[in-house]
Amino acid sequence: MLKTMNQKVSIFLILLAVGYLYAAYNLKKYPYVPVDADAVPKVLGYLLIGLAIILFFDKSSETEEDKEKRDVPKKEIPIMLGVGGFIFLYIFLLEILGFVVTSALFIFGCSLFLGYSRHVMNAVVSIMVPGVLYVTFTYLLNIILPQGILPF
Amino acid sequence: MKKIFVFISIMFIFVLAACGSSGSEESSGGGEGEGSEDWKPEKNVEIVAPAGAGGGWDTTARSVGKILEEEDIMDKSVGVVNKEGGGGAVGWSYINSTNNPHNIFVSSPPLVFIPLNGQSELSYEDFTPLANMIADYGAFAVDADAKWNDLNELFEDMKKDPSSVTVVGTSSPGSMDHMQFVSIAKKAGVDIKKIKYVSAQDAGGMTQIMNGSADVYSTGVAETVEQVKAGEVKVLGITAEERLDGEVLSEFPTAKEQGIDATFVNWRGFFGPGDMTDAQVSFYEEKLKKVSESDAFADIRDNYGWNEMYMNSEEYKEFLQKQTEELGTLLDELDMGQ
Amino acid sequence: MGAMEGIAQGFQVAFSLQGILFVLIGVIAGTLIGMMPGLGPISAIAIMIPVTYGMEASVALIMMAGVYYGAVFGGSTSSILLNAPGISGTVASSFDGYPMAQRGEAGKALAIAAISSFVGGTVSVVLLMLFAPMLSQVAVSFGPAQYFALMFLGLTAISSLSDGSTTKALITATIGFMTATIGLDGQTGTSRFTFNNPNLMEGIDFLVIALGLFAIAEVCFLIIKRKDTSLSDQGDIGSLRLSKEDFKEMRGPMTRQSFLGFLLGVLPGAGATIASFIGYISEKRIAKNPEKFGKGSIKGLAAPETANNAATSGAFVPLLSLGIPGSGTTAVMLGALLVLGIQPGPLLVQESPDVFWGIIASMYIGNIFLLILNLPLIPYIAKILKISRPLLISLVIIFSLIGVYSISFNTFDLYVLLFFGVVGYFMRILNFPAAPFILAFILGGMMEQSMRQALTASGGDVMALISDPVSISLYVVSALSFIVPLIRTRKNRPAA
């Protein structure tokens, strides 16, 4: 059935457009303007469905080179997910532990995870960079970053 | 390490340029009474500006914060935190959830509008009004060549055919610029449901009346002064109670003196989280009053064209109640209330 | 008093020892703030306002102008080196700047950016000086209908931003436009597609999307290639060597975009970001070898860099000659002026000529300083790329995260950043170009609002959109720019 990548993407896009249109049709009405807030979104929703249908039947655009791009080595996927997990953790902890601690842990941990082996250098960078950024933002630029568990 | 060199030069420059604009003053000031009723901040105070850098809230927060620190009014350091989003709602929910008396925020009429429009669950009632600091008023400007010379002429035309006039403002319908016009027009007897209102960002309103895309610009008084001086636009009326002071400002007629008994204040003041003790409230009240009375703040008010309007916590609360009722009625009439 | 006298006076202010010192402080501070993640000219100026309390007005302004210029200038560094635009005006600079840096020509790319910025900045200051009063009329002549036409023209360029399938380019553009509709609608106050989440009420920040689609998505590819040491092994990535041919290639875009960028900057609301995109697209349109764009073309880097700097001074036209701030940055600048007790307006030139001409003179000096200061630093800055890949990846991620956080101070936006990073990654592997997404996002929002403003004012009469010569000519240009490439591809396509 869905042989080409284009067809799979096309189905996804149609679903996206339908969801968007559904929300557009349920927008609150505002009676005092000739073109209400839902007009442009409706056009866009149908436009996306139309384009997705064209994409569905479009067979020309996949070259070998394009397919190659999609060929991500299997063993890299867990690593990417790992980094994604690190980012997630960073966002979660940022306002709890504070900017300096979270960033230092992130830089050190993430670099280590990606195979950086110069530990001393890594430690120096992961403390220096967030430290200097924090001092610059907070004390020189008066832009407050999360202080967290550190006393300053 | 060249990078370190770069960073050191950053700091050097800022130290040079900022010359002690930051840093906390330890000792001095506020050593008075350690009695049990008194409350003093145990750590640094955070003023939240529920918007990005550079806007009205941010400017107020930063200038008040600076005076609190530099005039030794507060002995703890004061930092400004920007919490942008939702027209303020993000900042409000931050204050609400942290619920810490060291975190206060600056606000203005959107704190009334946005909950009324149903765009935020939290309203002023969920916070503690501490003190109002300044007032700003609305002005209705038209192109210098426009046929109207005062508000009554404009409203006469609008009574006959409301759709013959396009009003432009910066905020979206149901908020500041729209509502200040609506509240005056309503008193003048215009059918407010039929007013054509357009919202234009980035000071587009001024250009729109100058090139004729719109007829009336509903904005703040200060925004119009220079254009009036240069003869590009004229101000038909302002929303203040009485005429303002200042060389051009004093020439602007109020709506009231034109027989339309309505005013609109764009107030700006400070709020704390919902549950605060009386001691905490009076602490901030007192400090903010000192700021309001300082020469430094008077200079800032003059430069920005703001007017002094200090209200303490009690007065502020009553004022807000009244405004919420009035605006609620108007919004309901426009079917925009929630 | 004539303009000449005013200029002389301005230069006197700017060339005083004090003047030079503060321009210097301004440009250095501005450049460094601009290089900081997320901090652009708006924050740079807002931050500097308290610093200027109590300073003499003309001196403070000279410093501000320096900060402004410096911040626009500094923003391109991270775009080029890391594919992580620090400010929205330099997103387009990453299209060709990053590939060039990846090729091992980081120094050259930064030098091109510096030189184009200098040229764009200087030429536009001359234009500002000569034509500011005249152009002030242009600035106010654009109403909603004309903006609609202008944005329309920008959008027709979408197909040219992609080398592959036009369908795919249009799909990403549509989704970009859809993304722009998230948030409170300006004309009605209706909250659209926010699912009652207050974090979405003001819409998604442009920079969050740009950093997600470009920087975070690129990180995924850097992870795959993390053991690749070709860049760190390469000897001289910081070399500034520009050949005669390189200069020849830059000359065209620099000249054209200085003017075009300046004009777009004059229009309130258009600003440096739109100027840089239109600069990029228009150069690609007229280039003899458009296929080189996006792969490290010199023209493709020089164009947006010239245009965004030219637009920066263009934005001063409505501010200084009318007192109308046409962009977020000049609005903050206006605030800065107010603090100093100066009311910019139509009478500024007469009432405080020292301020008016002082700013202009300081722009000349600021530009020269920027060039002199930055060129020697480039070899060192470029060495960032020599940092071992795993560490560099962590730093790019941190840079993007702080960049986004320092815009809104809201962790929600960081999740949005991560989300767009994932979207960007899938778009890349599925061959959907990201640039049309970005372009439709910035132009689409403005286009919708202008259209509805025009229609509200006209009471729903569509003719209001096409009733004046300016919009009509903009539509004609749009139509041409759509038809001409179509014919070209027909010709190039092998008979089938």
Side-chain angles (χ1 to χ4, degrees):
Chain A
M1 225 180 87
L2 300 176
K3 275 187 208 129
T4 66
M5 201 56 188
N6 275 353
Q7 290 176 344
K8 287 179 203 160
V9 174
S10 162
I11 296 298
F12 168 77
L13 290 173
I14 290 175
L15 291 176
L16 178 75
V18 169
Y20 181 84
L21 276 171
Y22 174 78
Y25 274 98
N26 283 302
L27 284 176
K28 209 172 75 183
K29 296 278 175 291
Y30 181 81
Y32 312 120
V33 286
V35 184
D36 201 357
D38 58 349
V40 169
K42 281 177 188 164
V43 172
L44 290 173
Y46 288 114
L47 182 65
L48 186 60
I49 292 183
L51 288 166
I53 292 172
I54 297 177
L55 185 70
F56 192 90
F57 295 106
D58 185 358
K59 290 185 185 103
S60 61
S61 57
E62 286 269 285
T63 63
E64 278 310 304
E65 196 190 338
D66 293 344
K67 282 195 179 133
E68 212 170 280
K69 249 192 194 166
R70 220 161 48 225
D71 234 6
V72 177
K74 276 264 153 33
K75 64 178 171 57
E76 300 293 346
I77 293 172
I79 298 198
M80 276 196 255
L81 288 175
V83 173
F86 266 105
I87 299 181
F88 213 77
L89 215 60
Y90 177 88
I91 303 174
F92 181 71
L93 293 174
L94 178 64
E95 287 185 344
I96 300 171
L97 295 181
F99 173 76
V100 178
V101 176
T102 326
S103 304
L105 289 176
F106 179 87
I107 297 176
F108 191 83
C110 189
S111 309
L112 194 69
F113 178 70
L114 291 171
Y116 190 56
S117 50
R118 295 167 62 194
H119 301 304
V120 178
M121 182 65 182
N122 194 357
V124 170
V125 172
S126 26
I127 293 168
M128 279 300 290
V129 172
V132 171
L133 279 175
Y134 185 76
V135 170
T136 319
F137 272 75
T138 313
Y139 294 103
L140 300 179
L141 302 180
N142 261 322
I143 297 176
I144 301 211
L145 292 173
Q147 176 186 340
I149 50 172
L150 291 181
F152 48 85
Chain B
M1 280 299 293
K2 296 300 190 296
K3 260 186 301 166
I4 291 173
F5 166 75
V6 173
F7 279 123
I8 289 173
S9 48
I10 297 183
M11 295 203 228
F12 175 71
I13 285 141
F14 275 102
V15 169
L16 215 153
C19 266
S21 77
S22 56
S24 58
E25 262 99 295
E26 289 302 325
S27 65
S28 84
E32 68 261 275
E34 304 274 51
S36 56
E37 294 113 70
D38 276 349
W39 179 82
K40 281 202 321 183
E42 288 134 30
K43 53 175 212 160
N44 295 343
V45 169
E46 220 177 80
I47 302 181
V48 173
W57 287 342
D58 180 65
T59 324
T60 315
R62 283 183 194 275
S63 45
V64 169
K66 194 174 162 76
I67 291 171
L68 278 172
E69 241 181 49
E70 292 206 335
E71 310 267 302
D72 289 346
I73 295 174
M74 192 109 73
D75 59 356
K76 289 280 188 230
S77 92
V78 181
V80 172
V81 179
N82 297 82
K83 291 276 174 200
E84 189 182 348
V90 170
W92 304 332
S93 73
Y94 168 79
I95 293 283
N96 197 46
S97 61
T98 49
N99 195 13
N100 182 334
H102 296 93
N103 297 356
I104 61 173
F105 69 99
V106 60
S107 197
S108 64
L111 181 59
V112 173
F113 292 126
I114 290 179
L116 286 174
N117 284 328
Q119 288 153 8
S120 165
E121 306 270 299
L122 297 165
S123 74
Y124 82 93
E125 286 166 333
D126 299 292
F127 301 104
T128 313
L130 297 173
N132 189 59
M133 302 296 283
I134 48 177
D136 205 348
Y137 298 98
F140 307 124
V142 295
D143 190 66
D145 301 326
K147 55 181 169 170
W148 310 290
N149 287 311
D150 61 43
L151 281 180
N152 288 316
E153 290 179 26
L154 171 71
F155 289 139
E156 269 323 304
D157 278 2
M158 289 186 78
K159 274 189 241 172
K160 278 181 219 140
D161 181 10
S163 63
S164 63
V165 176
T166 304
V167 183
V168 63
T170 308
S171 60
S172 62
S175 200
M176 278 299 299
D177 298 338
H178 182 217
M179 292 313 287
Q180 70 182 18
F181 187 81
V182 165
S183 57
I184 307 287
K186 159 99 181 137
K187 263 279 174 348
V190 176
D191 181 357
I192 54 172
K193 282 190 171 189
K194 294 203 176 123
I195 292 176
K196 285 201 296 188
Y197 177 81
V198 164
S199 143
Q201 255 83 57
D202 286 339
M206 190 60 86
T207 54
Q208 288 204 11
I209 57 165
M210 283 160 77
N211 65 32
S213 308
D215 303 301
V216 183
Y217 182 29
S218 170
T219 181
V221 170
E223 277 86 340
T224 62
V225 172
E226 283 305 303
Q227 309 299 330
V228 170
K229 235 195 217 164
E232 299 277 352
V233 304
K234 52 191 179 189
V235 168
L236 299 183
I238 59 173
T239 65
E241 190 80 30
E242 306 167 351
R243 290 212 179 194
L244 305 171
D245 296 329
E247 66 174 304
V248 182
L249 288 173
S250 60
E251 291 162 25
F252 296 165
T254 62
K256 247 185 157 165
E257 70 180 69
Q258 300 181 51
I260 304 160
D261 188 19
T263 56
F264 193 95
V265 186
N266 178 4
W267 46 270
R268 218 171 283 156
F270 289 85
F271 295 77
D275 27 285
M276 283 177 95
T277 64
D278 289 345
Q280 288 163 351
V281 173
S282 51
F283 169 82
Y284 283 113
E285 248 176 9
E286 186 212 318
K287 299 295 174 197
L288 290 168
K289 192 169 173 69
K290 275 191 188 156
V291 172
S292 180
E293 285 165 356
S294 69
D295 292 340
F297 198 62
D299 282 347
I300 289 173
R301 273 197 308 257
D302 284 348
N303 286 335
Y304 283 106
W306 299 335
N307 299 282
E308 186 188 350
M309 186 172 152
Y310 181 82
M311 282 188 271
N312 67 22
S313 177
E314 261 324 290
E315 296 162 343
Y316 205 5
K317 203 180 267 170
E318 274 168 41
F319 172 83
L320 290 167
Q321 241 157 21
K322 212 171 133 237
Q323 196 173 34
T324 308
E325 275 166 34
E326 285 172 10
L327 291 171
T329 327
L330 274 180
L331 282 166
D332 282 341
E333 204 170 317
L334 288 169
D335 302 321
M336 293 181 76
Q338 284 290 307
Chain C
M1 185 179 94
M4 280 325 285
E5 217 172 303
I7 298 166
Q9 200 179 346
F11 271 99
Q12 229 164 36
V13 176
F15 266 122
S16 64
L17 192 63
Q18 204 188 9
I20 291 182
L21 183 69
F22 279 96
V23 174
L24 194 65
I25 293 175
V27 293
I28 296 175
T31 312
L32 294 173
I33 297 177
M35 284 180 188
M36 291 272 162
L39 302 187
I42 296 192
S43 359
I45 293 172
I47 290 160
M48 296 310 266
I49 290 177
V51 177
T52 61
Y53 283 152
M55 270 167 128
E56 198 187 313
S58 52
V59 175
L61 274 177
I62 287 174
M63 193 171 87
M64 289 284 186
V67 169
Y68 188 8
Y69 263 110
V72 176
F73 199 94
S76 56
T77 312
S78 58
S79 263
I80 292 170
L81 294 182
L82 310 174
N83 208 25
I87 54 173
S88 52
T90 60
V91 171
S93 311
S94 67
F95 295 171
D96 282 281
Y98 184 67
M100 205 184 276
Q102 287 301 299
R103 217 162 50 199
E105 298 176 333
K108 189 170 148 185
L110 289 171
I112 292 172
I115 294 166
S116 336
S117 299
F118 171 73
V119 172
T122 308
V123 172
S124 59
V125 175
V126 177
L127 295 175
L128 171 65
M129 191 174 78
L130 297 178
F131 302 116
M134 243 187 277
L135 283 171
S136 63
Q137 291 317 309
V138 175
V140 294
S141 67
F142 264 55
Q146 290 79 17
Y147 276 110
F148 176 75
L150 181 67
M151 299 302 140
F152 185 81
L153 170 62
L155 278 186
T156 54
I158 281 168
S159 55
S160 74
L161 273 180
S162 134
D163 298 318
S165 144
T166 312
T167 318
K168 285 185 172 175
L170 290 174
I171 287 174
T172 42
T174 310
I175 300 176
F177 201 154
M178 285 174 160
T179 313
T181 60
I182 296 174
L184 278 190
D185 169 41
Q187 300 310 312
T188 60
T190 311
S191 77
R192 299 193 286 187
F193 317 110
T194 57
F195 309 103
N196 286 325
N197 184 337
N199 294 306
L200 287 173
M201 290 275 185
E202 272 169 28
I204 298 170
D205 195 279
F206 174 66
L207 209 53
V208 177
I209 293 178
L211 280 170
L213 292 184
F214 292 108
I216 301 292
E218 178 64 23
V219 161
C220 300
F221 289 92
L222 286 177
I223 290 173
I224 297 169
K225 293 183 290 187
R226 69 181 178 280
K227 303 213 172 79
D228 170 15
T229 50
S230 59
L231 267 186
S232 18
D233 293 344
Q234 214 157 27
D236 206 7
I237 57 170
S239 155
L240 306 178
R241 228 175 317 111
L242 284 174
S243 66
K244 243 188 198 149
E245 283 70 41
D246 294 340
F247 272 109
K248 228 183 203 165
E249 215 169 311
M250 286 160 68
R251 208 163 52 200
M254 285 198 308
T255 328
R256 285 186 290 270
Q257 297 313 323
S258 295
F259 287 87
L260 187 60
F262 177 75
L263 277 176
L264 287 168
V266 167
L267 293 177
T273 310
I274 290 179
S276 65
F277 272 95
I278 296 202
Y280 183 83
I281 293 163
S282 57
E283 284 303 323
K284 188 173 177 184
R285 270 283 153 84
I286 58 172
K288 282 195 207 90
N289 36 16
E291 69 282 353
K292 272 195 180 169
F293 276 65
K295 299 188 182 95
S297 146
I298 289 176
K299 283 190 166 132
L301 175 58
E305 275 299 308
T306 312
N308 69 17
N309 280 275
T312 304
S313 28
F316 274 91
V317 169
L319 178 69
L320 293 179
S321 62
L322 298 168
I324 294 174
S327 62
T329 318
T330 39
V332 182
M333 193 84 186
L334 177 69
L337 290 167
L338 293 177
V339 171
L340 296 166
I342 298 163
Q343 270 284 353
L347 304 178
L348 181 71
V349 194
Q350 282 107 305
E351 284 177 357
S352 0
D354 55 326
V355 170
F356 183 87
W357 296 109
I359 294 178
I360 289 183
S362 72
M363 287 176 165
Y364 281 110
I365 303 177
N367 267 310
I368 294 169
F369 275 158
L370 277 174
L371 193 67
I372 300 177
L373 281 171
N374 280 282
L375 284 180
L377 284 178
I378 285 175
Y380 304 109
I381 297 173
K383 292 223 167 65
I384 290 174
L385 290 183
K386 290 221 167 189
I387 299 173
S388 156
R389 274 277 166 83
L391 188 59
L392 185 66
I393 292 170
S394 314
L395 292 174
V396 173
I397 298 173
I398 281 287
F399 180 93
S400 311
L401 288 168
I402 309 167
V404 168
Y405 189 78
S406 59
I407 300 170
S408 64
F409 300 91
N410 189 344
T411 46
F412 178 83
D413 283 359
L414 296 177
Y415 292 113
V416 178
L417 171 76
L418 188 57
F419 173 78
F420 277 103
V422 174
V423 171
Y425 173 72
F426 280 107
M427 280 168 61
R428 281 269 289 270
I429 58 174
L430 295 171
N431 266 315
F432 282 86
F437 188 109
I438 291 282
L439 185 70
F441 179 80
I442 41 171
L443 297 182
M446 277 180 78
M447 185 165 139
E448 187 200 353
Q449 296 296 320
S450 324
M451 176 192 80
R452 290 170 54 204
Q453 284 170 7
L455 291 179
T456 302
S458 75
D461 180 6
V462 184
M463 287 311 286
L465 292 174
I466 41 173
S467 57
D468 67 294
V470 178
S471 5
I472 292 172
S473 42
L474 285 167
Y475 291 123
V476 170
V477 179
S478 320
L480 286 177
S481 76
F482 202 67
I483 295 164
V484 172
L486 218 65
I487 298 171
R488 232 195 254 169
T489 29
R490 280 281 148 74
K491 268 191 196 155
N492 291 348
R493 204 175 273 172

